[in-house]
Amino acid sequence: MSARSAVAAAARTVVKVGSSSLTTDGRIDAARIDALVAALADRVAGGGQVVLVSSGAIAAGIGPLGRRARPRDLATQQAAAAVGQVQLAEQYAASFARFGFIVGQVLLTADDLHRRGHYRNAQRTMDRLLALGVVPIVNENDTVATHEIRFGDNDRLAALVAHLVHADALVLLSDVAGLYSDQPARPDADLVDTVADAAQLAAIRVRRANGMGVGSGGMATKVEAAGIATGAGIPVILAAAESVAEALQGVGGTAFEATGAGTRSRLFWLQHAATPRGRLVLDQGAVAAVVQRRASLLPAGIVAFSGDFDAGDPVELASPDGTVVARGLVGYDAVDLPGLLGRRTAELPEEFRRQVVHRDDLVLL
Protein backbone atom coordinates (compact mmCIF):
# COMPACT_ATOMS: atom_id res chain seq x y z
CA MET A 1 0.00 0.00 0.00
CA SER A 2 1.36 3.43 -0.93
CA ALA A 3 1.88 6.09 1.72
CA ARG A 4 -1.08 8.08 0.42
CA SER A 5 -3.40 5.07 0.54
CA ALA A 6 -2.11 4.11 3.97
CA VAL A 7 -2.77 7.59 5.37
CA ALA A 8 -6.28 7.62 3.93
CA ALA A 9 -7.03 4.19 5.43
CA ALA A 10 -5.22 4.67 8.76
CA ALA A 11 -7.14 3.57 11.83
CA ARG A 12 -4.88 5.60 14.12
CA THR A 13 -3.26 8.82 12.93
CA VAL A 14 -0.92 11.28 14.62
CA VAL A 15 -1.27 14.86 13.35
CA LYS A 16 1.27 17.56 14.21
CA VAL A 17 0.58 21.28 13.86
CA GLY A 18 2.97 24.16 14.53
CA SER A 19 2.59 27.51 16.26
CA SER A 20 2.48 29.55 13.07
CA SER A 21 -0.59 27.62 11.94
CA LEU A 22 -2.51 28.32 15.16
CA THR A 23 -1.76 31.90 16.16
CA THR A 24 -1.84 35.41 14.75
CA ASP A 25 0.13 38.27 16.30
CA GLY A 26 0.94 36.27 19.39
CA ARG A 27 -2.64 35.28 20.11
CA ILE A 28 -4.62 32.13 19.41
CA ASP A 29 -6.51 32.32 16.14
CA ALA A 30 -9.81 30.63 16.95
CA ALA A 31 -10.82 30.38 13.30
CA ARG A 32 -7.64 28.45 12.45
CA ILE A 33 -8.12 26.06 15.33
CA ASP A 34 -11.77 25.52 14.45
CA ALA A 35 -10.85 24.67 10.86
CA LEU A 36 -8.21 22.18 12.02
CA VAL A 37 -10.54 20.60 14.56
CA ALA A 38 -13.36 20.26 12.02
CA ALA A 39 -11.13 18.09 9.82
CA LEU A 40 -9.89 15.99 12.74
CA ALA A 41 -13.39 15.57 14.16
CA ASP A 42 -14.59 14.33 10.78
CA ARG A 43 -11.88 11.68 10.89
CA VAL A 44 -12.87 10.60 14.40
CA ALA A 45 -16.57 10.60 13.51
CA GLY A 46 -15.72 8.23 10.67
CA GLY A 47 -14.30 5.69 13.10
CA GLY A 48 -10.64 6.72 13.11
CA GLN A 49 -8.52 7.62 16.12
CA VAL A 50 -6.50 10.83 16.14
CA VAL A 51 -3.67 12.04 18.36
CA LEU A 52 -2.90 15.74 17.93
CA VAL A 53 0.63 16.97 18.67
CA SER A 54 0.21 20.71 18.98
CA SER A 55 2.71 23.50 19.41
CA GLY A 56 1.55 26.98 20.29
CA ALA A 57 1.68 27.33 24.07
CA ILE A 58 4.50 29.87 24.17
CA ALA A 59 3.18 31.75 21.13
CA ALA A 60 -0.31 31.88 22.66
CA GLY A 61 1.08 33.37 25.88
CA ILE A 62 3.01 36.20 24.23
CA GLY A 63 -0.01 38.47 23.66
CA PRO A 64 -1.63 38.10 27.09
CA LEU A 65 1.71 38.88 28.73
CA GLY A 66 1.99 42.10 26.74
CA ARG A 67 4.98 40.90 24.73
CA ARG A 68 5.48 41.67 21.08
CA ALA A 69 7.94 38.88 20.28
CA ARG A 70 8.88 35.43 21.53
CA PRO A 71 11.00 35.81 24.69
CA ARG A 72 14.59 34.61 24.48
CA ASP A 73 15.26 33.69 28.08
CA LEU A 74 14.08 30.31 29.34
CA ALA A 75 12.24 31.60 32.42
CA THR A 76 10.04 33.97 30.41
CA GLN A 77 9.42 31.28 27.80
CA GLN A 78 8.22 29.00 30.56
CA ALA A 79 5.99 31.73 31.97
CA ALA A 80 4.51 32.34 28.52
CA ALA A 81 3.93 28.60 28.14
CA ALA A 82 2.12 28.45 31.50
CA VAL A 83 -0.26 31.18 30.38
CA GLY A 84 -0.62 30.05 26.79
CA GLN A 85 -1.11 26.36 27.51
CA VAL A 86 -4.30 27.06 29.45
CA GLN A 87 -5.75 29.15 26.65
CA LEU A 88 -4.72 26.63 24.02
CA ALA A 89 -6.28 23.71 25.90
CA GLU A 90 -9.50 25.63 26.53
CA GLN A 91 -9.77 26.52 22.85
CA TYR A 92 -9.25 22.93 21.76
CA ALA A 93 -11.75 21.63 24.31
CA ALA A 94 -14.40 24.10 23.18
CA SER A 95 -13.75 23.46 19.51
CA PHE A 96 -13.92 19.65 19.79
CA ALA A 97 -17.01 19.93 22.02
CA ARG A 98 -18.92 21.33 19.02
CA PHE A 99 -18.70 17.81 17.59
CA GLY A 100 -19.31 15.98 20.85
CA PHE A 101 -15.71 14.92 21.49
CA ILE A 102 -13.67 15.14 24.69
CA VAL A 103 -9.99 16.05 24.65
CA GLY A 104 -7.23 15.11 27.06
CA GLN A 105 -4.05 17.11 27.56
CA VAL A 106 -0.77 15.19 27.64
CA LEU A 107 2.34 17.25 28.43
CA LEU A 108 5.68 15.51 27.96
CA THR A 109 9.32 16.32 28.50
CA ALA A 110 12.10 14.45 26.76
CA ASP A 111 12.89 12.85 30.11
CA ASP A 112 9.47 11.16 30.03
CA LEU A 113 10.53 9.28 26.90
CA HIS A 114 14.21 8.91 27.76
CA ARG A 115 13.38 6.80 30.80
CA ARG A 116 12.05 3.39 29.82
CA GLY A 117 9.59 3.20 32.71
CA HIS A 118 8.16 6.64 31.91
CA TYR A 119 7.99 5.69 28.22
CA ARG A 120 5.88 2.63 28.93
CA ASN A 121 3.63 4.57 31.30
CA ALA A 122 3.04 7.24 28.65
CA GLN A 123 2.23 4.45 26.19
CA ARG A 124 -0.36 2.94 28.53
CA THR A 125 -1.94 6.32 29.23
CA MET A 126 -2.27 7.18 25.55
CA ASP A 127 -3.72 3.78 24.71
CA ARG A 128 -6.31 4.17 27.47
CA LEU A 129 -7.31 7.66 26.37
CA LEU A 130 -7.87 6.45 22.83
CA ALA A 131 -9.83 3.41 24.04
CA LEU A 132 -12.11 5.77 25.97
CA GLY A 133 -12.79 7.81 22.82
CA VAL A 134 -10.75 10.80 24.00
CA VAL A 135 -8.69 12.87 21.56
CA PRO A 136 -5.23 13.25 23.17
CA ILE A 137 -3.58 16.62 22.60
CA VAL A 138 0.16 16.33 23.15
CA ASN A 139 2.66 19.12 23.63
CA GLU A 140 6.11 19.43 25.08
CA ASN A 141 5.86 20.55 28.69
CA ASP A 142 7.52 23.91 28.03
CA THR A 143 6.67 25.13 31.52
CA VAL A 144 9.20 22.79 33.17
CA ALA A 145 11.46 21.64 30.31
CA THR A 146 15.01 22.92 30.43
CA HIS A 147 17.39 23.18 27.49
CA GLU A 148 18.96 19.90 28.58
CA ILE A 149 15.71 17.90 28.54
CA ARG A 150 13.91 19.37 25.54
CA PHE A 151 12.96 17.40 22.45
CA GLY A 152 14.26 20.28 20.36
CA ASP A 153 11.12 20.53 18.24
CA ASN A 154 7.61 19.10 18.16
CA ASP A 155 8.22 17.46 14.77
CA ARG A 156 10.57 14.98 16.43
CA LEU A 157 8.14 14.63 19.32
CA ALA A 158 5.37 13.78 16.83
CA ALA A 159 7.49 11.03 15.25
CA LEU A 160 8.23 9.55 18.68
CA VAL A 161 4.55 9.75 19.65
CA ALA A 162 3.54 8.07 16.39
CA HIS A 163 5.60 5.05 17.35
CA LEU A 164 4.58 5.30 21.00
CA VAL A 165 0.89 4.87 20.11
CA HIS A 166 1.51 2.41 17.24
CA ALA A 167 0.06 4.86 14.73
CA ASP A 168 -0.70 3.79 11.19
CA ALA A 169 0.22 7.20 9.77
CA LEU A 170 1.78 10.56 10.63
CA VAL A 171 0.61 13.86 9.12
CA LEU A 172 2.95 16.83 9.57
CA LEU A 173 1.30 20.19 8.96
CA SER A 174 3.33 23.20 7.90
CA ASP A 175 2.93 26.74 6.58
CA VAL A 176 3.99 25.57 3.11
CA ALA A 177 2.44 23.00 0.80
CA GLY A 178 5.10 20.33 1.31
CA LEU A 179 8.73 19.62 0.57
CA TYR A 180 10.18 21.53 -2.38
CA SER A 181 13.17 20.75 -4.56
CA ASP A 182 14.63 24.16 -3.66
CA GLN A 183 13.66 27.24 -1.68
CA PRO A 184 9.85 27.48 -2.21
CA ALA A 185 10.09 31.15 -3.20
CA ARG A 186 12.36 30.36 -6.16
CA PRO A 187 10.54 30.08 -9.50
CA ASP A 188 12.21 26.80 -10.44
CA ALA A 189 11.30 25.09 -7.14
CA ASP A 190 9.02 22.08 -7.59
CA LEU A 191 6.84 20.41 -5.00
CA VAL A 192 8.19 16.92 -4.32
CA ASP A 193 5.24 14.55 -4.67
CA THR A 194 6.79 11.45 -3.10
CA VAL A 195 9.94 10.49 -1.22
CA ALA A 196 10.10 6.85 -2.16
CA ASP A 197 12.92 5.31 -0.19
CA ALA A 198 15.74 5.78 2.29
CA ALA A 199 18.21 6.70 -0.45
CA GLN A 200 16.06 9.60 -1.64
CA LEU A 201 15.56 10.73 1.94
CA ALA A 202 19.31 10.61 2.52
CA ALA A 203 19.88 12.69 -0.60
CA ILE A 204 17.54 15.35 0.75
CA ARG A 205 19.61 15.52 3.92
CA VAL A 206 22.80 15.91 1.88
CA ARG A 207 21.31 18.85 0.02
CA ARG A 208 20.38 20.42 3.33
CA ALA A 209 23.95 20.11 4.51
CA ASN A 210 25.00 22.00 1.37
CA GLY A 211 22.48 24.77 2.02
CA MET A 212 20.04 23.56 -0.62
CA GLY A 213 16.81 21.64 -0.94
CA VAL A 214 14.91 21.62 2.31
CA GLY A 215 15.22 25.33 2.96
CA SER A 216 14.46 26.54 6.45
CA GLY A 217 15.40 24.81 9.65
CA GLY A 218 11.71 24.19 10.32
CA MET A 219 11.46 22.14 7.14
CA ALA A 220 14.65 20.32 8.02
CA THR A 221 13.18 19.09 11.29
CA LYS A 222 10.11 17.83 9.44
CA VAL A 223 12.25 15.85 7.03
CA GLU A 224 14.19 14.39 9.95
CA ALA A 225 10.93 13.50 11.74
CA ALA A 226 9.69 11.84 8.56
CA GLY A 227 12.90 9.80 8.52
CA ILE A 228 12.33 8.58 12.09
CA ALA A 229 8.72 7.62 11.39
CA THR A 230 9.20 5.99 7.98
CA GLY A 231 12.20 4.05 9.27
CA ALA A 232 9.85 2.49 11.81
CA GLY A 233 7.29 1.57 9.15
CA ILE A 234 4.98 4.59 9.55
CA PRO A 235 4.07 6.46 6.33
CA VAL A 236 4.08 10.26 6.45
CA ILE A 237 2.42 13.11 4.61
CA LEU A 238 3.77 16.64 4.90
CA ALA A 239 1.23 19.28 3.86
CA ALA A 240 -0.05 22.79 4.49
CA ALA A 241 -2.17 23.21 7.62
CA GLU A 242 -5.08 24.66 5.66
CA SER A 243 -5.13 21.47 3.57
CA VAL A 244 -5.40 19.10 6.53
CA ALA A 245 -8.67 17.55 5.31
CA GLU A 246 -7.11 16.65 1.98
CA ALA A 247 -3.92 15.42 3.64
CA LEU A 248 -5.90 13.02 5.83
CA GLN A 249 -7.31 11.57 2.62
CA GLY A 250 -3.81 11.12 1.21
CA VAL A 251 -4.15 14.01 -1.23
CA GLY A 252 -1.62 16.77 -1.85
CA GLY A 253 1.56 17.63 -0.01
CA THR A 254 4.59 15.35 -0.02
CA ALA A 255 4.21 11.66 0.78
CA PHE A 256 7.04 9.78 2.49
CA GLU A 257 6.86 6.04 1.91
CA ALA A 258 7.57 3.74 4.84
CA THR A 259 11.11 2.47 4.40
CA GLY A 260 11.37 0.02 7.30
CA ALA A 261 9.29 -2.63 8.96
CA GLY A 262 7.53 -2.03 12.25
CA THR A 263 10.13 -1.66 14.99
CA ARG A 264 9.71 -3.14 18.44
CA SER A 265 9.00 -0.45 21.01
CA ARG A 266 12.04 -1.30 23.09
CA LEU A 267 14.48 -0.99 20.17
CA PHE A 268 12.81 2.15 18.81
CA TRP A 269 13.05 3.72 22.26
CA LEU A 270 16.69 2.66 22.46
CA GLN A 271 17.56 4.22 19.10
CA HIS A 272 15.57 7.46 19.18
CA ALA A 273 14.54 8.32 22.74
CA ALA A 274 16.95 6.79 25.23
CA THR A 275 19.73 8.81 26.85
CA PRO A 276 22.96 6.77 27.03
CA ARG A 277 24.35 6.39 30.54
CA GLY A 278 27.82 5.42 29.40
CA ARG A 279 30.07 4.33 26.53
CA LEU A 280 31.87 1.09 25.73
CA VAL A 281 34.91 1.32 23.43
CA LEU A 282 35.32 -1.79 21.25
CA ASP A 283 38.33 -3.17 19.40
CA GLN A 284 38.06 -3.51 15.62
CA GLY A 285 37.18 -7.20 15.79
CA ALA A 286 34.26 -6.51 18.10
CA VAL A 287 33.08 -3.63 15.90
CA ALA A 288 33.01 -5.97 12.89
CA ALA A 289 31.18 -8.65 14.88
CA VAL A 290 28.51 -6.23 16.12
CA VAL A 291 28.04 -4.21 12.93
CA GLN A 292 28.57 -6.80 10.18
CA ARG A 293 27.48 -10.04 11.84
CA ARG A 294 24.97 -8.53 14.29
CA ALA A 295 26.61 -10.55 17.06
CA SER A 296 26.32 -9.94 20.79
CA LEU A 297 29.10 -7.99 22.50
CA LEU A 298 31.37 -10.08 24.74
CA PRO A 299 33.85 -8.82 27.38
CA ALA A 300 36.81 -9.78 25.19
CA GLY A 301 35.94 -7.13 22.62
CA ILE A 302 35.89 -4.16 25.04
CA VAL A 303 39.03 -2.11 25.53
CA ALA A 304 37.66 0.72 27.71
CA PHE A 305 34.46 2.20 29.09
CA SER A 306 33.15 5.39 30.69
CA GLY A 307 30.06 6.37 32.63
CA ASP A 308 28.25 5.27 35.76
CA PHE A 309 25.57 2.81 34.70
CA ASP A 310 23.63 -0.14 36.02
CA ALA A 311 22.68 -3.37 34.28
CA GLY A 312 19.80 -2.64 31.92
CA ASP A 313 20.82 0.97 31.18
CA PRO A 314 21.38 2.18 27.60
CA VAL A 315 25.00 2.67 26.56
CA GLU A 316 26.83 3.67 23.38
CA LEU A 317 29.14 1.26 21.56
CA ALA A 318 32.07 3.05 19.92
CA SER A 319 34.94 2.08 17.64
CA PRO A 320 38.55 2.75 18.68
CA ASP A 321 38.47 6.17 16.99
CA GLY A 322 35.40 7.20 19.02
CA THR A 323 32.77 6.75 16.31
CA VAL A 324 29.51 5.55 17.86
CA VAL A 325 28.34 2.53 15.85
CA ALA A 326 25.53 1.14 18.00
CA ARG A 327 23.51 1.54 21.14
CA GLY A 328 22.48 -1.24 23.50
CA LEU A 329 21.24 -2.24 26.92
CA VAL A 330 24.22 -3.22 29.03
CA GLY A 331 24.13 -6.45 31.00
CA TYR A 332 26.53 -5.40 33.76
CA ASP A 333 26.91 -2.63 36.32
CA ALA A 334 29.82 -0.29 35.60
CA VAL A 335 31.56 -1.43 38.78
CA ASP A 336 31.69 -5.02 37.45
CA LEU A 337 33.41 -4.24 34.14
CA PRO A 338 37.03 -3.35 35.00
CA GLY A 339 37.99 -6.96 35.74
CA LEU A 340 36.25 -8.27 32.61
CA LEU A 341 37.67 -6.09 29.83
CA GLY A 342 39.51 -7.95 27.12
CA ARG A 343 39.10 -11.35 28.76
CA ARG A 344 37.72 -14.42 26.99
CA THR A 345 34.48 -15.86 28.35
CA ALA A 346 36.17 -19.12 29.38
CA GLU A 347 38.56 -17.15 31.59
CA LEU A 348 35.80 -15.52 33.61
CA PRO A 349 34.05 -16.73 36.77
CA GLU A 350 30.81 -18.58 36.05
CA GLU A 351 28.59 -15.68 37.14
CA PHE A 352 30.20 -13.39 34.54
CA ARG A 353 30.03 -15.72 31.53
CA ARG A 354 27.37 -13.79 29.65
CA GLN A 355 27.15 -11.09 27.00
CA VAL A 356 27.84 -7.49 27.91
CA VAL A 357 25.21 -6.44 25.36
CA HIS A 358 22.94 -9.12 23.86
CA ARG A 359 22.22 -8.77 20.16
CA ASP A 360 18.47 -8.61 20.88
CA ASP A 361 19.13 -5.50 23.00
CA LEU A 362 21.22 -3.68 20.38
CA VAL A 363 20.51 -1.26 17.53
CA LEU A 364 22.99 -0.06 14.91
CA LEU A 365 23.27 3.68 14.35
Side-chain angles (χ1 to χ4, degrees):
M1 184 182 295
S2 70
R4 295 188 182 280
S5 297
V7 171
R12 181 175 290 185
T13 308
V14 171
V15 177
K16 185 268 176 180
V17 63
S19 301
S20 62
S21 300
L22 301 175
T23 58
T24 301
D25 297 327
R27 294 184 181 275
I28 294 174
D29 190 324
R32 289 186 174 191
I33 289 183
D34 284 346
L36 169 67
V37 168
L40 301 184
D42 184 64
R43 181 73 161 216
V44 177
Q49 295 178 326
V50 170
V51 176
L52 176 62
V53 177
S54 174
S55 302
I58 294 177
I62 292 173
L65 290 178
R67 298 265 173 166
R68 293 185 177 181
R70 181 186 176 95
R72 295 186 177 182
D73 65 290
L74 181 60
T76 308
Q77 289 177 9
Q78 292 174 326
V83 173
Q85 191 64 54
V86 174
Q87 298 195 19
L88 193 62
E90 287 180 347
Q91 186 64 48
Y92 275 127
S95 193
F96 272 102
R98 297 177 300 147
F99 303 95
F101 296 120
I102 300 172
V103 302
Q105 186 179 66
V106 181
L107 299 178
L108 298 172
T109 66
D111 201 45
D112 293 322
L113 299 189
H114 288 172
R115 297 179 183 274
R116 180 63 179 158
H118 291 203
Y119 186 93
R120 296 185 67 181
N121 187 54
Q123 195 172 55
R124 286 192 294 266
T125 300
M126 298 285 283
D127 283 343
R128 188 59 181 150
L129 285 170
L130 290 166
L132 291 170
V134 175
V135 178
I137 299 178
V138 182
N139 194 1
E140 181 164 11
N141 194 349
D142 293 306
T143 302
V144 300
T146 64
H147 292 301
E148 289 76 19
I149 62 170
R150 292 180 63 85
F151 290 101
D153 60 82
N154 272 358
D155 296 310
R156 181 170 180 268
L157 172 59
L160 296 177
V161 168
H163 191 274
L164 181 80
V165 302
H166 306 293
D168 302 299
L170 171 62
V171 175
L172 299 172
L173 300 177
S174 177
D175 52 5
V176 294
L179 175 67
Y180 283 82
S181 59
D182 209 322
Q183 297 286 350
R186 294 182 177 177
D188 58 345
D190 296 318
L191 179 66
V192 178
D193 180 78
T194 302
V195 177
D197 52 34
Q200 187 178 355
L201 186 63
I204 292 169
R205 289 173 176 157
V206 169
R207 289 200 300 272
R208 181 187 72 139
N210 292 332
M212 300 172 58
V214 292
S216 69
M219 183 57 67
T221 64
K222 289 172 176 57
V223 172
E224 290 166 359
I228 293 173
T230 56
I234 303 170
V236 177
I237 282 187
L238 169 60
E242 60 266 25
S243 302
V244 57
E246 293 83 355
L248 289 168
Q249 295 303 316
V251 177
T254 301
F256 294 78
E257 301 289 349
T259 59
T263 305
R264 287 181 295 169
S265 292
R266 182 164 54 104
L267 296 183
F268 183 89
W269 166 81
L270 182 60
Q271 182 171 3
H272 296 292
T275 299
R277 306 296 181 184
R279 173 177 291 192
L280 309 180
V281 181
L282 284 54
D283 62 29
Q284 289 293 0
V287 171
V290 168
V291 175
Q292 298 173 16
R293 302 197 300 273
R294 303 301 300 268
S296 298
L297 175 63
L298 300 176
I302 306 173
V303 297
F305 76 95
S306 60
D308 183 13
F309 47 83
D310 297 322
D313 283 344
V315 295
E316 295 176 331
L317 278 60
S319 64
D321 65 3
T323 302
V324 177
V325 297
R327 188 176 290 174
L329 301 179
V330 67
Y332 291 88
D333 296 344
V335 296
D336 293 330
L337 282 183
L340 308 180
L341 301 189
R343 298 178 63 184
R344 296 168 52 192
T345 303
E347 301 173 351
L348 299 174
E350 187 68 32
E351 64 269 25
F352 292 116
R353 293 182 182 180
R354 63 181 187 274
Q355 301 92 344
V356 179
V357 178
H358 193 279
R359 63 184 180 182
D360 292 340
D361 295 328
L362 185 150
V363 291
L364 301 181
L365 301 180

